[in-house]
Amino acid sequence: MRRTLLATGLALLLVTTGCSHGRDGASPAAGAPSASRQDAGQVEQTLASLRKVDDLPLYEMTYHGDYDPTVGLTGTPGASPFGCSLFAALGDRDRPLFARNFDWEPNPGLVLRADPPDGYASISLVDISYLGVGPDPTGDRRLLDAPLLPFDGMNERGLAVGLAADDGATVRPVPGRPTVGSVRILRLVLDSAATVDEAIAVFARYNLDFDGGPPLHYLLADASGASAVVEFVDGTMRADRRRGPWQALTNVPAVGVPERDLRRDHRYGVLAAALDDARGVLAAPAALRLLDAVRQPHTRWSVVYGLRTGEVRLVTATGGAERSYRLPMT
């Protein structure tokens, strides 16, 4: 578990040397994994914890020891459009939740538990093809870079984050800020932010690199019920904080866009209508049903994070049984 906040030196991390492209590519096929700061025993424990849990294929792994979230990866996987749907809502019985569909190519997934010595413990979901790992990753040391690539996740303080493509997003680098890949920023948020405001501050410390993949925007939510969309408009980062009982995000620009225009997007409209009807008050099973209503043929997983309970409910494209996890909260 996290003992202290990351040092203020976090703002100096990820200088341009070793920076990855926007979607953080695959790690080298040869040589030591670039992120691991583990001893030999921790490496063995981590790789031994890997197990296959369904035929997506989906794996689970617990990362033992430390990693360096500033180390770059190399390689550029081909780009194709994301199609994700996300929402944050009040939940039921004053228990806010964060829900998302990850819509992408048929790649293997990983449920990753991490507890870095200088960061918050977290549970996240990783598309391990971006590590250069195939459908059978048993013993593959490239898995030791998995903490660098969370596509969504929640930490022990109840801060959750997820991403979606936003073709309208553009970034204009701010002189003096370090640059980080647009997926890697999720790891820095999960490791160091306890609230939406703290997460926005992490985004504000960096220039994001969208090269090599689709531009992205992000949904954040925390255990207080706060949420925000982080988006890059005309090169500048902007944050739109929630003003009602829910906030949703799909693949259309959202910041500064009238609600009536957002609802013209089919998936956003379905989410908005259902969340309006429920006034944002829905339990995890209802949230999974709503994700199913906007599911697409290429949806890889649907996940609901309980931001106060630490409960995680996950369904994959295999149509198999729902999987449940629990992250101890602090």
Side-chain angles (χ1 to χ4, degrees):
M1 299 294 173
R2 182 176 171 95
R3 279 46 171 195
T4 59
L5 289 174
L6 284 179
T8 55
L10 177 67
L12 301 177
L13 297 178
L14 258 168
V15 292
T16 53
T17 55
C19 288
S20 62
H21 47 75
R23 283 166 51 204
D24 295 274
S27 61
S34 59
S36 172
R37 296 298 178 266
Q38 303 158 292
D39 61 34
Q42 291 167 334
V43 167
E44 184 177 353
Q45 278 184 290
T46 297
L47 296 179
S49 73
L50 183 75
R51 65 188 187 107
K52 183 178 177 182
V53 294
D54 86 1
D55 292 330
L56 185 69
L58 179 73
Y59 296 88
E60 297 171 1
M61 189 177 80
T62 298
Y63 196 96
H64 295 271
D66 200 7
Y67 52 83
D68 182 352
T70 72
V71 172
L73 299 178
T74 60
T76 306
S80 59
F82 285 79
C84 302
S85 303
L86 307 89
F87 66 88
L90 295 179
D92 69 330
R93 293 180 286 177
D94 197 29
R95 296 187 297 189
L97 55 79
F98 181 98
R100 77 98 104 247
N101 282 347
F102 180 64
D103 303 344
W104 194 233
E105 296 170 344
N107 300 325
L110 175 71
V111 179
L112 179 69
R113 291 183 179 272
D115 189 0
D118 293 317
Y120 293 126
S122 66
I123 188 166
S124 60
L125 285 157
V126 180
D127 179 336
I128 58 176
S129 69
Y130 290 84
L131 299 169
V133 176
D136 182 4
T138 304
D140 195 322
R141 291 174 61 89
R142 289 173 294 185
L143 289 171
L144 303 181
D145 281 340
L148 305 184
L149 295 175
F151 285 73
D152 53 73
M154 175 180 69
N155 68 23
E156 65 181 287
R157 297 301 299 275
L159 187 283
V161 59
L163 55 78
D166 172 16
D167 289 341
T170 58
V171 291
R172 184 169 56 245
V174 176
R177 289 184 185 173
T179 298
V180 59
S182 56
V183 176
R184 185 76 56 83
I185 190 68
L186 272 67
R187 172 50 58 195
L188 298 176
V189 166
L190 290 171
D191 282 0
S192 63
T195 67
V196 165
D197 285 345
E198 290 179 6
I200 291 170
V202 174
F203 272 92
R205 294 183 189 125
Y206 297 95
N207 295 314
L208 292 197
D209 183 357
F210 289 152
D211 289 347
L216 303 174
H217 54 183
Y218 307 84
L219 183 64
L220 308 166
D222 67 31
S224 75
S227 69
V229 169
V230 171
E231 203 162 83
F232 294 82
V233 182
D234 296 328
T236 301
M237 190 194 89
R238 293 177 60 185
D240 181 17
R241 291 171 172 81
R242 180 168 69 193
R243 291 172 291 278
W246 60 267
Q247 192 166 23
L249 187 67
T250 55
N251 301 109
V252 295
V255 174
V257 178
E259 182 70 14
R260 65 179 179 276
D261 293 337
L262 289 174
R263 293 183 187 226
R264 291 172 183 162
D265 176 75
H266 172 70
R267 283 178 286 118
Y268 186 98
V270 171
L271 293 175
L275 290 164
D276 275 348
D277 287 347
R279 298 183 180 179
V281 179
L282 69 172
L288 281 171
R289 289 194 294 272
L290 181 51
L291 289 175
D292 190 58
V294 292
R295 189 178 184 86
Q296 301 187 90
H298 55 292
T299 297
R300 301 304 292 156
W301 64 71
S302 302
V303 62
V304 176
Y305 296 97
L307 304 183
R308 288 187 183 167
T309 65
E311 183 180 45
V312 182
R313 297 192 178 196
L314 174 67
V315 177
T316 70
T318 61
E322 175 187 316
R323 306 198 65 81
S324 296
Y325 305 88
R326 189 171 294 275
L327 179 67
M329 309 301 276
T330 60

